[in-house]
Amino acid sequence: MNKVVIVTGASRGIGREIAKKLAIKGYIVVANYNKSENQIKELQKELLERNVNIDIFKADISKRSEAKELVKYVLEKYNKIDILINNAGISQIKEFTQITDEDWNNMINVNLHNKKGCIINMSSIWGQIGASCESHYSVSKAGIDAMTKSLAKELGPSNIRVNSIAPGIIDTEMNKHLSLEELEYIKEEIPLQRIGKVNDIEKCVEWLIEDDYITGQIISINGGWSI
Ligand code: NAP
C-alpha cells in the first residue's frame, strides 16, 4: 500500500498545493478542511479529471474531539498514518492589549496541536523573530518550533522524524489584507526580491518526506528575509 498522508488545512493556500502534489505523486492523501467545502470539492474534482484520487475529511482541528475523529477515520480506513502535515493555521492582526481570551485560545488551539506519525509542522518566520501586532500568532508558531524539537528527541528512537517549515511571506489568502504598496515594500526587504509561492513550500515538503536523516529542524523558506 502506498504511504498515507494527512494534510490539515488542505482546502486553500499552502496545504492545498501540498495535498495536490502528493496525490499526483501517488501518495494516499487525506485532505482535511473546515469551512471551505466548495474549494476542497473543486480540488477533488480537478484531480479526478486527471484520474487522481484524494480523500477529504471535514474537521475543525482546533477541537481535540474533531482532530481525533480525523485520525480515527484514517486509521479505520487505511490502517496506518505514515506522514502528518500539520499545516492548518489562522492569523490575526491585533495589538497585544486588544487580544481577548477567546482570540488567544483560538490562535493556540488551531496553530498548536500535536499528533503522531512522520510529522511536518507549518511554522512561520514570526515564531523566530516575532511580529508586531501578532503576538498570539508568533507565540503559537514559536510553540510549534519548540514542540518540533521536543518531539524529534522523543520520537527519534521510534524512527519518527519531526520537522518544521518556517515560511516568510507566501502568496495566499492569509495575506490578502496587505495592500499592493505594502507588498512592494516587503519585496524590497527580501534579498531574493519576491514574495514566496505555495510551490516553494511544497517542494520542501516533498524533500523532507523523502529524506530519512533530518529531524528536529526548523527550515526557513523566506527568500533571505531573515538571515
Ligand atoms: P490560508 O490560505 O489562509 O489557508 C488556511 C488553511 O487552514 C485553510 O485550508 C483552512 O481551511 C485551514 N484551517 C484554518 N483553521 C482551521 C481549523 N480550525 N481546522 C481545519 N482547518 C483549518 O493559509 P496559508 O497561507 O496556506 O497558511 C498555511 C500555513 O502556513 C499556516 O499554518 C500559516 O500560519 C503558515 N504560514 C503562512 C504564511 C504565508 O505568508 N501565507 C507565512 C508563514 C506561515 P478552511 O478554509 O476549510 O477552514
Side-chain angles (χ1 to χ4, degrees):
M1 189 194 224
N2 289 357
K3 285 191 171 165
V4 176
V5 189
I6 297 178
V7 183
T8 69
S11 48
R12 295 183 287 114
I14 296 170
R16 181 187 176 95
E17 182 73 6
I18 294 170
K20 180 176 165 179
K21 290 284 170 59
L22 293 181
I24 291 170
K25 251 192 139 178
Y27 289 90
I28 297 169
V29 176
V30 180
N32 155 253
Y33 68 102
N34 185 29
K35 295 179 183 156
S36 305
E37 187 158 0
N38 287 345
Q39 277 101 320
I40 198 100
K41 289 207 162 146
E42 270 167 32
L43 174 64
Q44 198 176 34
K45 189 164 166 260
E46 181 192 323
L47 286 171
L48 214 53
E49 281 162 8
R50 299 168 68 168
N51 283 325
V52 175
N53 282 312
I54 194 166
D55 203 351
I56 61 173
F57 192 88
K58 178 174 167 30
D60 176 349
I61 52 85
S62 69
K63 298 191 174 121
R64 185 176 280 261
S65 59
E66 295 193 28
K68 273 187 172 173
E69 283 302 315
L70 168 63
V71 172
K72 188 167 162 244
Y73 168 78
V74 179
L75 288 177
E76 279 176 5
K77 188 158 178 188
Y78 302 106
N79 218 19
K80 63 173 186 169
I81 299 167
D82 296 295
I83 299 150
L84 169 66
I85 317 285
N86 254 331
N87 164 78
I90 52 171
S91 67
Q92 185 183 43
I93 311 291
K94 253 190 181 186
E95 284 175 35
F96 183 66
T97 49
Q98 303 300 316
I99 297 171
T100 63
D101 284 355
E102 197 189 348
D103 290 335
W104 190 276
N105 290 335
N106 193 31
M107 183 66 66
I108 299 295
N109 286 339
V110 175
N111 286 1
L112 181 61
H113 60 281
N114 64 13
K115 307 268 166 38
K116 278 194 170 183
C118 170
I119 301 169
I120 299 173
N121 296 316
M122 209 52 73
S123 182
S124 166
I125 186 173
W126 305 126
Q128 296 169 316
I129 63 173
S132 166
C133 297
E134 289 188 77
S135 55
H136 51 347
Y137 184 76
S138 303
V139 164
S140 73
K141 295 301 189 182
I144 283 177
D145 293 348
M147 190 177 72
T148 295
K149 292 177 190 175
S150 298
L151 282 181
K153 288 182 178 172
E154 197 171 317
L155 302 178
S158 307
N159 205 21
I160 295 170
R161 295 177 302 110
V162 190
N163 291 289
S164 282
I165 294 176
I169 183 160
I170 306 297
D171 183 16
T172 71
E173 283 178 28
M174 191 168 269
N175 294 311
K176 66 178 179 208
H177 61 282
L178 295 171
S179 66
L180 278 178
E181 202 183 14
E182 285 167 324
L183 286 170
E184 278 307 314
Y185 174 77
I186 293 169
K187 261 197 245 175
E188 278 173 25
E189 289 202 317
I190 299 174
L192 289 180
Q193 300 277 290
R194 70 168 173 88
I195 302 297
K197 296 180 290 217
V198 288
N199 182 249
D200 294 317
I201 308 300
E202 185 279 324
K203 282 186 291 189
C204 182
V205 167
E206 278 192 54
W207 173 70
L208 275 177
I209 287 175
E210 279 159 24
D211 173 80
D212 56 12
Y213 201 56
I214 297 173
T215 197
Q217 302 306 306
I218 317 300
I219 302 183
S220 297
I221 306 180
N222 59 34
W225 201 13
S226 162
I227 294 176

